[in-house]
């Protein structure tokens, strides 16, 4: 990365923006992470003005999405799921629908492109992960919108996965070698009916987009999964071997997986950890703790303000959710 090549944002159509300098962001190669773009003034911008600003600055936004990994838009006069939907559509990005995804989180659609980020209870910490990296099908980028910030806590932590991998190569080289050589396999149990009290409580029929067991088995076979039906018409599945490290078009490598999320946030499956190396070997507890410690040290807590939108590069940046008190409504949209 070369910060001198970072394109400048352009004010237009009555929309002026600033990149506020703040000590709370991280800095990698002289680029702020995340990049914060704040609209100046309190006057509401029209939809046409917002569209023109996005069109004019699309190259700049895309550059920072690719290089920095997370862009926060603040004070852009967005208040509802419909406002968020219009903001997303202004970018003209391909939709990755929740319905057709293999996400194990329970979510509720607000519009065709917008849904709740997760229905898990406030006291549940959602461990850091790349979205749907525990499946063969995942989005390239995410957008989050703060409809209402929690009264206490509720931040969305963000972690640069390329920086994390560099740290792990220094501290846990054997772990990295095993991840590269063997990949990972994930196991989980899907309920017959969706369970909103769980961070991974989506039913197997909803997850797989099927209406009966035979259809579920055909879908799993096509995906390369192993499976077994268990008590209560629940479904136990194990993924094929999936990569744990990803090389981006830029040549950067990232720790692209759901390893610590599955290890610390998922229930054991049939008495065994929910994630293992692709050859079936267990991942040592010490290595898991080292990953978690590195992630925590490198995580930036995005403390939401009402109306914020975060654009996140799913291949470059991990995210999670801190527990909270009060009412918190963060909505999401995925891009193919």
């Amino acid at each position: 990365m070369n910060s001198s090549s970072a394109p400048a944002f352009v004010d237009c159509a009555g929309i002026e923006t600033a990149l506020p300098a703040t000590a709370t962001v991280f800095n990698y190669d002289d680029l702020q992470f995340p990049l914060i773009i704040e609209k100046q003034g309190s006057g509401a911008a029209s939809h046409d003005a917002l569209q023109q600003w996005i069109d004019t600055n699309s190259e700049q936004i895309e550059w920072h999405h690719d290089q920095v990994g997370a862009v926060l838009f603040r004070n852009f006069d967005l208040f509802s799921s419909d406002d968020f939907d219009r903001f997303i559509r202004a970018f003209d990005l391909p939709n990755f629908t929740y319905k057709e995804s293999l996400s194990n989180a329970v979510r509720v659609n607000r519009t065709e492109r917008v849904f709740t980020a997760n229905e898990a209870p406030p006291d549940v910490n959602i461990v850091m992960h790349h979205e749907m990296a525990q499946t063969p099908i995942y989005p390239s980028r995410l957008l989050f919108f703060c409809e209402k910030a929690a009264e206490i806590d509720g931040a969305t932590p963000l972690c640069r996965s390329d920086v994390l991998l560099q740290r792990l190569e220094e501290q846990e080289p054997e772990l990295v070698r095993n991840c590269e050589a063997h990949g990972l396999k994930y196991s989980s149990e899907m309920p017959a009916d969706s369970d909103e009290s769980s961070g991974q409580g989506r039913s197997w029929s909803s997850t797989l987009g099927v209406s009966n067991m035979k259809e579920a088995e055909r879908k799993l076979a096509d995906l390369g999964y192993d499976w077994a039906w268990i008590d209560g018409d629940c479904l136990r599945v194990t993924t094929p071997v999936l990569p744990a490290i990803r090389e981006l078009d830029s040549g950067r490598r990232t720790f692209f997986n759901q390893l610590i999320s599955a290890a610390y946030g998922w229930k054991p499956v049939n008495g065994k950890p929910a994630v293992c190396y692709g050859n079936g070997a267990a991942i040592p507890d010490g290595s898991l703790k080292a990953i978690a410690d590195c992630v925590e040290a490198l995580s930036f807590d995005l403390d939401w303000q009402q109306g914020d939108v975060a654009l996140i590069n799913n291949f470059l940046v991990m995210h999670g959710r801190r527990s909270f008190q009060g009412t918190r409504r963060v909505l999401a949209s995925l891009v193919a």
Side-chain angles (χ1 to χ4, degrees):
M1 267 190 302
N2 183 351
S3 60
S4 64
S5 63
F9 286 85
V10 179
D11 297 336
C12 64
I15 294 182
E16 296 182 0
T17 58
L19 306 181
T22 170
T24 60
V25 299
F26 287 7
N27 190 294
Y28 299 119
D29 295 331
D30 295 324
L31 293 168
Q32 288 189 358
F33 172 81
L35 181 77
I36 301 173
I37 305 171
E38 186 167 355
K39 186 175 84 62
Q40 300 299 287
S42 57
S46 69
H47 174 67
D48 288 345
L50 179 60
Q51 180 71 66
Q52 183 179 341
W53 185 87
I54 290 174
D55 289 344
T56 302
N57 290 282
S58 59
E59 179 184 337
Q60 293 90 320
I61 295 168
E62 190 69 17
W63 191 93
H64 284 89
H65 167 269
D66 290 344
Q67 297 298 322
V68 178
V71 181
L72 178 69
F73 302 89
R74 177 159 283 170
N75 196 32
F76 274 75
D77 310 306
L78 307 175
F79 302 98
S80 67
S81 53
D82 288 336
D83 293 337
F84 180 38
D85 189 287
R86 286 190 291 271
F87 187 82
I88 297 163
R89 291 177 188 275
F91 288 95
D92 194 27
L93 297 169
N95 191 17
F96 186 108
T97 68
Y98 168 65
K99 181 180 179 181
E100 295 173 335
S101 77
L102 296 173
S103 170
N104 55 11
V106 178
R107 293 165 169 170
V108 178
N109 269 92
R110 292 281 197 88
T111 73
E112 180 186 6
R113 296 199 65 142
V114 174
F115 45 83
T116 55
N118 196 294
E119 293 295 298
D123 62 339
V124 173
N125 271 306
I126 298 176
V127 184
M128 299 287 279
H129 61 281
H130 287 278
E131 189 70 15
M132 300 183 206
Q134 83 284 14
T135 80
I137 306 167
Y138 33 75
S140 64
R141 62 187 81 188
L142 328 169
L143 292 108
F144 291 123
F145 166 65
C146 180
E147 188 176 47
K148 185 182 186 305
E151 282 78 2
I152 300 175
D153 298 328
T156 292
L158 304 173
C159 175
R160 276 275 296 270
S161 236
D162 57 336
V163 179
L164 170 63
L165 181 58
Q166 292 171 8
R167 186 76 59 90
L168 292 175
E169 287 174 328
E170 297 170 359
Q171 298 185 9
E172 292 286 326
E174 184 176 358
L175 165 76
V176 174
R177 285 194 295 270
N178 283 329
C179 282
E180 288 185 301
H182 305 299
L184 300 169
K185 291 198 293 187
Y186 304 85
S187 297
S188 62
E189 293 179 357
M190 304 180 196
D193 299 303
S194 291
D195 176 10
E196 294 185 1
S197 68
S198 170
Q200 53 173 32
R202 192 181 183 190
S203 70
W204 56 260
S205 58
S206 176
T207 302
L208 299 173
V210 299
S211 57
N212 58 58
M213 291 180 172
K214 288 296 183 185
E215 290 179 357
E217 291 176 357
R218 284 196 292 270
K219 180 71 171 284
L220 290 167
D222 289 344
L223 292 168
Y225 280 56
D226 294 325
W227 72 87
W229 295 102
I230 56 178
D231 292 345
D233 289 339
C234 296
L235 180 61
R236 179 181 297 149
V237 300
T238 299
T239 69
V241 176
L242 298 174
I245 294 171
R246 183 183 185 93
E247 183 169 332
L248 307 184
D249 291 341
S250 63
R252 281 185 287 176
R253 301 190 322 142
T254 68
F255 199 62
F256 182 77
N257 55 64
Q258 285 226 15
L259 204 167
I260 58 169
S261 178
Y264 290 127
W266 298 14
K267 298 175 182 177
V269 177
N270 201 25
K272 297 179 180 179
V275 60
C276 64
Y277 288 124
N279 62 359
I283 301 167
D285 290 342
S287 294
L288 293 172
K289 184 178 185 304
I291 300 167
D293 288 346
C294 285
V295 168
E296 189 62 27
L298 295 170
S299 288
F300 170 85
D301 272 7
L302 173 52
D303 292 312
W304 292 106
Q305 296 181 19
Q306 191 279 328
D308 284 350
V309 172
L311 172 64
I312 296 171
N313 184 331
N314 190 39
F315 298 149
L316 185 58
V317 177
M318 284 183 171
H319 71 280
R321 189 194 75 177
R322 306 291 190 194
S323 62
F324 62 93
Q325 297 179 37
T327 301
R328 176 189 188 270
R329 293 194 299 272
V330 172
L331 308 181
S333 184
L334 307 179
V335 176

